[in-house]
Amino acid sequence: MIFPAPLERGTLIRRYKRFLADVTLGDGSETTVHVPNSGSMLGLNMPGLPVWLSRSADPKRKLPLTLEMVQLPTGLVGVNTMRPNRLAEAAICDGAIPELTGYDVIRREVRYDSDSRIDLLLEHPGRAPAYVEVKNVTLSRSPGLAEFPDCVTARGAKHLGALERVVEAGGRAVMLFIAQRGDCDRFVTADDLDPAYGAALRRAEASGVEVLCYDCHLTPEMIRLNRPLGRPGATG
């Protein structure tokens, strides 16, 4: 995924009200930017961190700048939760996720399980469709270890229950975690932050839901899916 224009650099002053942050731009001016992330952004919201921003060309937008990445000593971390679905779709089309090849139709936000929408539905004649839920991973508290979630996510646990029911009905269900960072080689659930989610993921996997984890290569010009992450203690 290539940005329409290279990202602009700034410095984080503070993140507040979940979807807002104040930053200092390169020319020294201060402004408020949109933060497309409802999580805690644990470890990524400290004042003084370098950040990277995209600028909208839409003159009607109240906040033209969007927080895209945070710069840590170990590398860039993407915090925009709107990016992983498109990253996953592009990677599937390019054959970059071997586990999800062999489908010629990808549909987004398809309603299923009565009151849910699946992020990506993969279809091919003669094959059962694959229901793919995508989650954005930003948290890392130990070197090389990516973690999810960074706060309690009842909605995430609900999605896992819906995927279980797909498997129970004879379908294929996939939970795809995309770590928008390139400094990790392993993935685990953050059970101390949300033990219910960790238990739900393990139950879903034991029920037949496939769990995939990939990291990303990030620059101020682009993001692309990179490589699979190991899962210490995984059941599959």
Side-chain angles (χ1 to χ4, degrees):
M1 186 198 75
I2 300 174
F3 292 108
L7 302 182
E8 303 177 27
R9 184 162 176 154
T11 302
L12 183 64
I13 299 173
R14 62 170 181 150
R15 186 250 182 141
Y16 57 103
K17 293 183 179 179
R18 295 173 70 191
F19 301 112
L20 298 175
D22 292 335
V23 302
T24 303
L25 301 180
D27 61 4
S29 63
E30 296 182 4
T31 189
T32 300
V33 305
H34 175 55
V35 180
N37 189 314
S38 61
S40 72
M41 285 177 50
L42 183 63
L44 301 170
N45 56 10
M46 293 87 74
L49 282 175
V51 295
W52 293 88
L53 314 160
S54 61
R55 184 178 294 274
S56 173
D58 184 355
K60 297 180 181 179
R61 271 194 54 165
K62 182 178 180 181
L63 300 175
L65 290 171
T66 296
L67 181 61
E68 296 283 352
M69 301 178 188
V70 175
Q71 178 81 56
L72 297 181
T74 55
L76 293 167
V77 182
V79 298
N80 187 339
T81 59
M82 305 299 290
R83 300 297 182 192
N85 284 14
R86 296 303 176 92
L87 286 167
E89 183 177 0
I92 292 168
C93 290
D94 291 342
I97 305 179
E99 301 91 340
L100 299 178
T101 57
Y103 297 91
D104 58 3
V105 175
I106 302 177
R107 294 198 286 151
R108 308 170 188 161
E109 296 292 327
V110 178
R111 188 176 296 278
Y112 81 121
D113 196 53
S114 73
D115 64 346
S116 297
R117 290 182 182 274
I118 195 68
D119 290 323
L120 299 173
L121 180 62
L122 314 184
E123 298 174 310
H124 184 80
R127 296 187 67 182
Y131 291 75
V132 182
E133 183 72 27
V134 183
K135 295 297 182 189
N136 186 57
V137 179
T138 60
L139 179 62
S140 178
R141 293 175 292 176
S142 300
L145 190 63
E147 302 175 81
F148 183 90
D150 65 1
C151 61
V152 173
T153 174
R155 184 167 177 263
K158 174 188 174 185
H159 290 158
L160 290 172
L163 292 177
E164 281 190 73
R165 288 186 286 276
V166 168
V167 174
E168 290 170 3
R172 184 185 184 193
V174 180
M175 182 66 250
L176 173 60
F177 294 98
I178 294 184
Q180 281 200 78
R181 53 192 305 157
D183 57 353
C184 296
D185 55 21
R186 293 158 292 139
F187 169 84
V188 296
T189 52
D191 289 358
D192 60 321
L193 299 180
D194 189 351
Y197 186 85
L201 182 65
R202 288 184 285 275
R203 182 175 62 248
E205 188 169 18
S207 299
V209 175
E210 301 168 49
V211 179
L212 306 177
C213 317
Y214 278 77
D215 76 350
C216 291
H217 175 69
L218 303 95
T219 74
E221 293 77 33
M222 55 82 71
I223 311 174
R224 63 170 170 80
L225 219 64
N226 188 31
R227 57 177 181 167
L229 300 182
R231 296 182 55 226
T235 59

